Structures are given as structure tokens and as C-alpha cells.
Amino acid sequence: MVGATVLIAAPPAVAEAPQRVVSINLCTDQLAMLLAGEGQLVSVSRIALDQRVSAMASEALHYVINAGRAEEVHVMRPDLVVAGVYTSRDTIAMLRRLGIEVVQFDIVKSLDQVRTRILEMGDALEQQEAARVLVARFDADLAALREEKGPLNDAPRAALYYANGYTSGENSLATDILHAAGLRNAPAEAGYDWGKLPLEILALIDPDLVITARRYPGGSRAEEVMDHPVVGALRGRGAALTDQDWVCGTPFVLRAIRDMVDARRSVDATKAEIGG
Amino acid sequence: MSRVTIPLTLAVCVLFMASLLIGPAGLGLRDSLTALWQGGDEPVAMVMRQIRLPRAILAMMIGASLGLAGAAMQGYLRNPLAEPGLIGVSGSAALGAVLAIQTGLAAAFTLGLPLAALAGALGGVVLVMGLAGPRGGALTLILAGIAISALAGALTSLVLNLSPNPFAANEIVFWMMGSLSDRSMVHVWLALPLMAIGWVLLGTLGRGLDALTLGEDAAGAMGISLSRMRRVLVIGTACVVGASTAVAGAIGFVGLVVPHVLRPLVGARPSRLLWASALGGAIMLLAADIAVRLILPSQDLKLGVLTAIVGAPVFLHLIFKTRKDGI
């Protein structure tokens, strides 16, 4: 009886939208900035300001910046914290102990998961309508981009080659970006998943297009491998760079796909020149 | 020519070939040798000429340099514990190299990196020899070496941690342990000029070191200038260690183990030991570099890990011996 009374007396099961949201992860920062209502998002992480990895660095300037520490987040009195699954466990546990609701978002491994993540963020922020609109636009733009590509079997063979000789293989957002742009991921087809791709193997795979990562300031030996004469010779045929649009599963991956479509076109043009 | 020269040279040749034929690409013997010989734009030729050849050449050059420097230092200081890695010369060379990379000096002009490493090595070797005194007593030498190694290591880590580059901090281990993975002919040309100068300088020390075994007075009577020898040794060591460290990081223990193993075989003549140690150093580093490719091919195991596993027991053995001799 008591329970029933409470049920009747309580407001409908629809939860109230969180009023003060803090994001402490680069990717949730961007999804939250895209979907949050006026004044709903209070703070984003420091990394959101870094143009090299953040696609929304200038937007991030409008928010309070946090370094992702439990103490400073608590002081902001948020009613919701959005974070990634790999955000420090201790921070998440501390926030939950302090009675703050934390929603964690998994990393994105495919274009399909970009849609999922947008909808999840919409649910978390109670902005389902905005999320649906964003997904619809994403789907339409993606479909338009996909229309332009030819069959994948005779597509140019691309290789992703990042600092320290790392690559991204099957089941990665990067591979989906390549496929959507009409490119094949050659190391993935040779059986190299996420991890180190030996330089010798890269040379033997002999890709049409080498995609390296944009540099950070201050040198490092890790990035020096992208200057190796072998990489240079391969890049001579076709080269492209990954940038901030590749980092997170947000609608900005469409820009990455557009860049790769351009890269594919220039490879096709070079091939046609040599062939003719 | 001593009787160890021929077997040592043969071993260097065999290991050099092995180094060329081992790698993740798993190429056939005939294909790889043809590609190496003929060159061209084919993938196999690129693997052989641009990836494996520089790696093998560098292992040989750097091993020879470290062996030579170790033998020369031990001969001059008449102390079997003197070794560029152990007494902090490699560490200070690494500091110079890291500073050059982080300040942009390395990118500004071609020889910026090896020259900065040379400056670091020079600073380290001058400091350690100044601190150890003219006779280079075992205790003071090792104490000075520990102090300089620790300081250079700490400053290297500090510079890398302060770098705006997120990868830099992870490279502390490379600069302390050394690696030859993914090097190119560019690195060979970068290191060669300084190394060649160092080889020539250290090579001229043979006669003086032989004379020095009879004592300083006797050497002086034979017309050997100790202060001149000291200058040549300092500059020569700094050249070879600086150039080695600039391209491959600080690789320890080669200069300690190799002269120690070869000394009985050359009749303890320092002049013979110099060249035998150069060959021995090349053997040790080629072997270590092949081993890191076989043990953990995908992990980029650092060379210094292997040289230390071999070198540390030899070091302990030397300490016991020095203690027994009451030095």
C-alpha cells in the first residue's frame, strides 16, 4: 500500500534532464557540446582545447576547463558526469562515492557505433530529439559520401602508419573511414590488427597510399619512423595525414572520410597518368 | 696481426650476414641477396637496402666503437672497470642528443644531433676523468661514474617529461637502453664522420698504452706525453660514444665485457687489445641485435637489456677480483 502511494505521488518515471553536466573525456566533450541544451554543459576536459586532437577546440573555449580530477569536478557540483570507459577508475569511483552520477561511454570501433554513441549521449543528457536529428543528418551525409565510391576490390590499397610504427586493423573506426572513402586497408588484409606493423612488412605490402599521423611539436623518436626513407618512398606515390577528425566517434569523422575521398582521387589520377 | 684477428673477423662477417638475413619479412635467401646486390625500387630491395643493411652496418660500427673506447680507457687508466656506459659518458651523450632533438637543433642542421651528443659525451668524459684523478683509482672512478650517470639520466628524463610531444616521455627507455630498430642509411651517414675521427684518434694510442704498462716514468722516458695521450683519449672516446649514442641510444657494458674477455687472448698487450676489442664489440652488438629480433620480434626489446644481462655478471666478477687484489 505504502509503495503504491509513493508511486502515485511521485512524478512520472521520466527523469528530469540533468542541469549541470561535466565532461572529463575528449570524446564525451565533443558529443556533449554537440547535443547539450543552453547552459546544460558546464565544463569540458583540458584536451578538448588541443587542436591536434579535438575537432571542437574553439567551441571548447566557451566552457570551464577541467583536468579530469575528482576534486575539481566535485567543486563544480554537477548532477551528471560523462566520461570514457578508460577514464581513470579511481576518479570514477571517487565521484560515485561522492554521490555524483557518472555515465561512461565506450570507445567507437565503427561508423555504426558513432550513431549509437550519439543516441546514448542524447539519453544521458535527456536530449533525445537533438540526438535523433544529429543521427539523421549523419546518416544522410554518410550515404551521400558512400554513393561516390566504386567497388572495393579494385580500390586503392592504403596503409595507416602512425608513430612507433603502429597501425589500425580490422574492427576499427579508421578502417571504416577508409572503406567508406573507397579505400582498402592493406595491412588489415595482410592480417595485422591494431599494434605494431614492422617497417619491413609495410615495404612488402607496398601500398598505393600511406597515411601517417600529424606531428606533435618537440621531436620524438616515435614519430621519426614516419620519416624513414622507406616510408618516404612509399609516400611518394600517395600520402595523407590523419588529424583531429579521426580521434573520436563523432559526426566529424565525415570530414575524415571526405579527406580520404580526396586522397583516393589523387591516387586514382596518378594511376591513370601512369597507365595512360 | 695476432692470431685472434682472423677468427674475430670471420665471426663479424658471419654475424653481419645473419643480421641481413633475419627479420619479420621472412625473405628467401636467394631473393634477399639478389635484391641487396641489384637494388631498385622493388619492395624486397627496399627491405634489404634501406632497412636491414643500415641496421647491420650500425650494429657493427657502434659495437666496434664501444669496444675500442672501452679498451682505450681501461688501458690508459689501468683500471678494468673503466667503460663508457658505466662511467656516465654514454648517459651524458644521450642528454646532449635529447636536448638537440627537443630544442630543434637536430632538425636545424644535418650534423646537429651527433655534434650535440659529442658535446654531451665530452662533458661527461672530462668530468669523470677530472673527478677520478690522474691515476683513475677504482673507487673514485666508479663513484664519479655513478654520480654522472645518475645526473645525466635524471636530466634526460626531465627534458623528455617536459616535452610537449606525448611520445617523448615513453622514449626514456630508448635513451637509457639503446635500440637499432627502424634506423636508416641517414643514421649511418650521420654517425660515420665523427666515428671515423674517433677511431683514428683512439687507434694512435696503441704505442703509448703499451709503454704505459711499464709505468708512467718509463713511458715518459720513452718519449710518451701523458697529457697528450689524455687529450686524444678524451676527444676520441667522446667522438665514438657521442656518435653511437646519437643514433642508437646509450648501450652499456660492451666496452666492459669485450676487453675483459679478449685480454688474455692477446697477451695483455693494450695495442693489440684495441683492435681485437673493436672486432669483439662488433660481434657482441651484432649478436645482441640479432637476439632482440629473435626473442621478441614484435616488442622492440632494447639492446641494453641484453648487453646488461651478459655484462653485469662480468662486472660483478671484476669487483670480486679487485677486492681480492686489495685495490
Side-chain angles (χ1 to χ4, degrees):
Chain A
M1 268 317 277
V2 178
T5 326
V6 171
L7 266 182
I8 295 158
V14 180
E16 229 173 90
Q19 297 303 309
R20 293 181 61 79
V21 179
V22 170
S23 167
I24 56 173
N25 168 280
L26 172 66
C27 297
T28 55
D29 288 343
Q30 297 177 50
L31 286 174
M33 281 191 270
L34 287 168
L35 293 175
E38 187 71 34
Q40 192 182 17
L41 180 64
V42 178
S43 169
V44 294
S45 79
R46 196 175 38 157
I47 312 170
L49 288 175
D50 187 343
Q51 292 185 352
R52 285 180 297 267
V53 290
S54 168
M56 299 179 74
S58 48
E59 286 88 339
L61 286 170
H62 304 304
Y63 299 89
V64 178
I65 297 302
N66 70 69
R69 288 180 299 242
E71 193 179 310
E72 61 178 335
V73 172
H74 180 241
V75 171
M76 293 176 195
R77 316 201 135 276
D79 48 9
L80 174 69
V81 169
V82 287
V85 279
Y86 293 110
T87 303
S88 156
R89 272 165 202 247
D90 299 329
T91 307
I92 303 286
M94 170 71 84
L95 288 171
R96 289 198 169 131
R97 268 204 304 280
L98 292 169
I100 300 169
E101 193 191 343
V102 182
V103 177
Q104 285 177 282
F105 291 77
D106 204 347
I107 54 168
V108 171
K109 289 183 179 166
S110 67
L111 286 173
D112 208 37
Q113 288 180 4
V114 174
R115 315 169 72 250
T116 321
R117 243 23 111 233
I118 295 172
L119 294 174
E120 283 171 5
M121 183 57 84
D123 286 342
L125 301 180
E126 294 294 329
Q127 300 282 356
Q128 286 88 348
E129 189 46 39
R132 270 193 292 273
V133 171
L134 194 60
V135 167
R137 206 166 64 215
F138 177 74
D139 285 344
D141 291 348
L142 184 59
L145 278 169
R146 277 184 165 148
E147 261 173 30
E148 299 175 35
K149 67 165 188 181
L152 212 55
N153 352 350
D154 52 332
R157 298 162 63 249
L160 295 156
Y161 198 66
Y162 310 135
N164 271 327
Y166 273 69
T167 192
S168 297
E170 286 304 330
N171 304 319
S172 66
L173 180 61
T175 302
D176 264 18
I177 291 176
L178 293 182
H179 287 170
L183 290 164
R184 289 161 65 188
N185 186 343
E189 288 172 13
Y192 281 85
D193 209 340
W194 193 88
K196 205 170 157 67
L197 175 67
L199 188 55
E200 293 187 5
I201 302 293
L202 178 71
L204 289 185
I205 283 175
D206 202 19
D208 300 314
L209 174 70
V210 177
I211 303 160
T212 48
R214 207 165 52 180
R215 304 300 181 88
Y216 285 91
S220 75
R221 200 182 159 274
E223 292 171 323
E224 200 192 328
V225 69
M226 298 188 283
D227 291 333
H228 195 284
V230 167
V231 181
L234 293 172
R235 281 172 59 86
R237 283 177 232 165
L241 288 177
T242 64
D243 56 16
Q244 69 278 6
D245 296 332
W246 292 65
V247 179
C248 286
T250 62
F252 296 105
V253 296
L254 295 168
R255 293 203 303 222
I257 296 174
R258 227 162 273 145
D259 290 346
M260 288 305 110
V261 169
D262 291 344
R264 189 200 75 211
R265 288 212 179 104
S266 67
V267 170
D268 285 340
T270 324
K271 268 189 173 172
E273 230 169 75
I274 296 167
Chain B
M1 274 286 159
S2 64
R3 63 202 153 79
V4 293
T5 316
I6 294 164
L8 287 177
T9 314
L10 271 178
V12 171
C13 294
V14 169
L15 286 167
F16 186 82
M17 288 310 293
S19 178
L20 284 178
L21 295 174
I22 293 170
L27 305 170
L29 183 71
R30 257 189 64 192
D31 285 356
S32 19
L33 291 181
T34 325
L36 179 66
W37 196 251
Q38 290 177 342
D41 282 342
E42 291 303 303
V44 180
M46 276 212 287
V47 169
M48 293 307 294
R49 285 200 162 186
Q50 313 245 30
I51 300 174
R52 292 198 190 165
L53 186 63
R55 185 168 187 159
I57 293 176
L58 280 173
M60 198 168 65
M61 280 167 43
I62 292 169
S65 297
L66 296 175
L68 191 62
M73 291 198 94
Q74 292 177 16
Y76 179 81
L77 295 167
R78 278 155 290 162
N79 181 338
L81 298 177
E83 198 264 338
L86 223 53
I87 61 174
V89 182
S90 302
S92 28
L95 175 61
V98 165
L99 279 172
I101 292 176
Q102 295 301 329
T103 56
L105 184 72
F109 73 109
T110 320
L111 285 176
L113 179 67
L115 287 179
L118 167 73
L122 207 56
V125 79
V126 164
L127 258 176
V128 88
M129 289 189 59
L131 288 167
R135 300 293 307 272
L139 189 65
T140 44
L141 183 73
I142 291 304
L143 283 178
I146 290 173
I148 290 169
S149 294
L151 186 63
L155 290 176
T156 305
S157 307
L158 178 69
V159 172
L160 291 173
N161 272 318
L162 290 177
S163 165
N165 192 306
F167 298 106
N170 295 328
E171 279 158 24
I172 293 172
V173 58
F174 163 78
W175 290 108
M176 307 242 169
M177 286 298 194
S179 164
L180 283 171
S181 70
D182 300 337
R183 305 281 83 186
S184 67
M185 285 315 261
V186 176
H187 298 103
V188 174
W189 299 123
L190 221 54
L192 191 62
L194 270 187
M195 267 188 194
I197 295 172
W199 293 335
V200 171
L201 286 176
L202 294 176
T204 60
L205 289 173
R207 203 176 75 87
L209 291 177
D210 280 349
L212 208 54
T213 53
L214 305 171
E216 280 168 28
D217 295 340
M222 289 164 75
I224 304 289
S225 157
L226 275 183
S227 59
R228 198 193 141 267
M229 266 185 80
R230 195 183 177 87
R231 268 201 308 278
V232 172
L233 175 74
V234 166
I235 297 172
T237 305
C239 280
V240 295
V241 175
S244 305
T245 309
V247 295
I251 303 165
F253 290 103
V254 177
L256 177 82
V257 176
V258 171
H260 177 69
V261 170
L262 293 176
R263 193 168 286 118
L265 301 178
V266 295
R269 284 261 310 264
S271 58
R272 283 190 197 159
L273 184 61
L274 279 182
W275 298 113
S277 291
L279 292 170
I283 292 173
M284 183 170 172
L285 213 57
L286 278 166
D289 190 43
I290 291 170
V292 296
R293 276 179 275 174
L294 291 177
I295 298 171
L296 284 171
S298 56
Q299 298 287 323
D300 187 20
L301 179 64
K302 302 292 180 254
L303 278 173
V305 176
L306 280 181
T307 53
I309 287 171
V310 179
V314 175
F315 185 52
L316 290 176
H317 167 74
L318 283 173
I319 289 178
F320 273 115
K321 227 175 79 180
T322 2
R323 231 174 49 175
K324 231 189 284 165
D325 296 346
I327 300 172

